[in-house]
Amino acid sequence: MGIATAMVAKGLGLAAPLVITPVCFRYLGDQRYGLWMAVTALTGMAWFADLGLGNGLLTRLGHLGDDPRQQAREISTAYATLGTVAAALLAGLVLLDPLVPWPRLFGVTDPTVAAEASTLVLLCFGAFAVNIPLSLIQRIQYARTQITQSNGWQSTGALASMLAVLGAITAGWSPLAVIACAVLTVPLTNLVNTLVYFWRQAPATRPGPTLVHRGTAMGLLRLGLRFFTLTTMSSIALNLDSPLVAHVLGLTVAAHYAVVGKLFGVLSVFVGLVGMTIWPVSGSALARGEVAWVRRNTRRMVLLYGVIVGTTGLALVGYGHRLLELWVGGVDVSVVPVGVLAALALWSFLVAVSSPLIVVQNSVGLLRPQFFGWAGFLLLATALKVWGLRHLGLVGLPLAACVSYLLTMWPAVLVGYRRALRRPAGP
């Protein structure tokens, strides 16, 4: 029921990026839109800036009892730590911005776009930094099995962002104002969600400065830093595509590839949604010794992912170009041939069917096998992607990712899953 209701709630928000992408692509132009997507990809790489505390808090709260004082102590410590991180990131960004040649770094040739590059970077990274502590509310709600509520708020943020962007474009606002509407709405929604949750729904677990506890901080940091290391490598590896394409093939090709990537990004949203739902459930089941149930449930999830992602991926291969014409219209489909769509579908399938096995390991804090897997993938995939882009064109990028994932991540995932089933759960 949790998965089903979460999918319904999340589905309401999936329409938002699908609607605003073609409108923004035409309104902003290919270079400005490509710059925005490249900067967004860099913020995606920086998700490790939360020190892994978001995932660590999710795992630890999933193993706590119903003591609100203990929960409030964990939550308060997490907010205090990530609030400090966000403030440090904002200060560092302001100090470093004048020293970085953003237009040259991203290959911007349009003088107007080049003049806006610094402001655009500050805007996107600033919104990202502020959202680091604000996004903790999603982990807290998931850990307390308030899945539908959490996804409802996320969907609200996506829909509000869509309406704000469309309203700004209709009113003829500046391109930077349109981008601001897109990147600032989600942090504002998380802020409202946090206030409503702690002041009306769960006041007993409300965070406060007097509840920050040193011993709790050390335990949370130990687990969080393990997630930090893992998320650092995986985030960089999974968000490196747009900067690589921009560097090797140009910013225009990167913009077209980013639009195509959003089609297949819907599959990643589905995988992440279900994975976050079963994360605390798997940890609680293993803590009770229900290994057989976890094994059966994992097999079901692998089958579910394989059927849904595989079928949808094949449909996108067959009808992807037609969808792009209807959806965006301004995208040159010759830049993204069918081979690129097929390779992206294969990549989505490989990641999807391995995800349930990874979630089981995360639920008990067993991260070492994934560490070796992602380290190998990052090194091998980066080299193969650069080689593939230069020798095979755009299709070389997802093909290199598929080959690297099979050679590095899959062996690590299988080994880690077997170990997780034999290991007592606990943060």
Side-chain angles (χ1 to χ4, degrees):
M1 286 298 297
I3 293 174
T5 54
M7 288 177 62
V8 171
K10 193 70 172 181
L12 297 175
L14 288 178
L18 297 178
V19 170
I20 67 173
T21 293
V23 179
C24 288
F25 185 83
R26 291 190 293 267
Y27 190 80
L28 301 178
D30 55 5
Q31 283 221 6
R32 187 180 285 108
Y33 183 82
L35 174 62
W36 179 22
M37 290 300 101
V39 174
T40 300
L42 289 180
T43 61
M45 292 183 195
W47 272 114
F48 59 83
D50 75 342
L51 302 178
L53 293 186
N55 289 334
L57 183 63
L58 174 62
T59 299
R60 288 173 66 90
L61 287 179
H63 297 280
L64 288 178
D66 294 327
D67 182 1
R69 184 75 176 179
Q70 189 176 6
Q71 295 172 18
R73 183 179 296 171
E74 296 276 352
I75 293 170
S76 300
T77 303
Y79 271 113
T81 305
L82 291 187
T84 303
V85 170
L89 284 177
L90 287 172
L93 179 62
V94 172
L95 292 175
L96 291 176
D97 177 69
L99 306 178
V100 180
W102 299 113
R104 192 183 347 159
L105 180 64
F106 291 107
V108 178
T109 58
D110 188 323
T112 303
V113 178
E116 300 172 350
S118 177
T119 305
L120 191 150
V121 170
L122 286 172
L123 181 62
C124 292
F125 272 97
F128 159 77
V130 170
N131 198 47
I132 290 176
L134 292 178
S135 63
L136 277 177
I137 186 61
Q138 299 171 14
R139 297 294 199 275
I140 295 167
Q141 290 172 324
Y142 263 75
R144 308 321 302 167
T145 65
Q146 296 169 330
I147 299 166
T148 302
Q149 178 178 334
S150 177
N151 282 278
W153 276 102
Q154 293 179 59
S155 298
T156 300
L159 291 173
S161 176
M162 178 189 69
L163 294 175
V165 169
L166 294 178
I169 292 176
T170 302
W173 289 7
S174 68
L176 288 177
V178 172
I179 295 174
C181 290
V183 301
L184 293 176
T185 306
V186 171
L188 288 174
T189 304
N190 284 334
L191 175 60
V192 175
N193 184 14
T194 301
L195 295 175
V196 170
Y197 181 80
F198 287 117
W199 266 262
R200 295 192 62 180
Q201 298 177 355
T205 61
R206 184 186 306 163
T210 60
L211 295 173
V212 178
H213 187 263
R214 181 177 179 181
T216 302
M218 295 304 297
L220 188 58
L221 281 171
R222 279 194 297 269
L223 178 60
L225 287 175
R226 295 204 297 269
F227 278 110
F228 167 87
T229 305
L230 181 64
T231 309
T232 300
M233 292 183 296
S234 61
S235 295
I236 293 175
L238 295 177
N239 290 278
L240 198 60
D241 290 0
S242 289
L244 282 179
V245 175
H247 178 72
V248 178
L249 300 181
L251 204 58
T252 301
V253 178
H256 287 71
Y257 185 76
V259 172
V260 176
K262 287 186 178 296
L263 283 178
F264 290 89
V266 175
L267 303 179
S268 300
V269 170
F270 166 76
V271 171
L273 171 64
V274 179
M276 291 297 294
T277 303
I278 63 176
W279 182 326
V281 179
S282 297
S284 299
L286 288 175
R288 296 190 299 267
E290 299 174 359
V291 177
W293 180 89
V294 172
R295 188 180 285 111
R296 288 195 304 271
N297 189 63
T298 302
R299 287 197 295 264
R300 294 190 189 106
M301 292 299 103
V302 170
L303 179 61
L304 176 68
Y305 282 153
V307 171
I308 294 180
V309 174
T311 303
T312 308
L314 289 176
L316 289 176
V317 173
Y319 299 96
H321 284 164
R322 188 176 304 175
L323 287 173
L324 288 173
E325 289 286 354
L326 295 173
W327 178 34
V328 180
V331 173
D332 185 0
V333 295
S334 64
V335 177
V336 283
V338 175
V340 175
L341 302 181
L344 283 171
L346 177 60
W347 163 253
S348 300
F349 178 82
L350 292 176
V351 173
V353 294
S354 66
S355 178
L357 284 70
I358 292 175
V359 169
V360 172
Q361 298 169 58
N362 291 344
S363 70
V364 297
L366 180 61
L367 306 180
R368 181 173 295 182
Q370 296 178 65
F371 173 83
F372 289 108
W374 279 116
F377 176 82
L378 177 59
L379 295 175
L380 180 61
T382 301
L384 287 182
K385 285 177 180 179
V386 173
W387 183 91
L389 285 171
R390 290 175 175 171
H391 294 84
L392 303 176
L394 194 57
V395 71
L397 189 77
L399 282 179
C402 293
V403 172
S404 302
Y405 199 82
L406 284 171
L407 294 178
T408 57
M409 274 302 295
W410 259 100
V413 167
L414 293 174
V415 170
Y417 174 68
R418 294 191 183 99
R419 291 181 182 176
L421 294 180
R422 299 192 299 264
R423 173 176 173 175

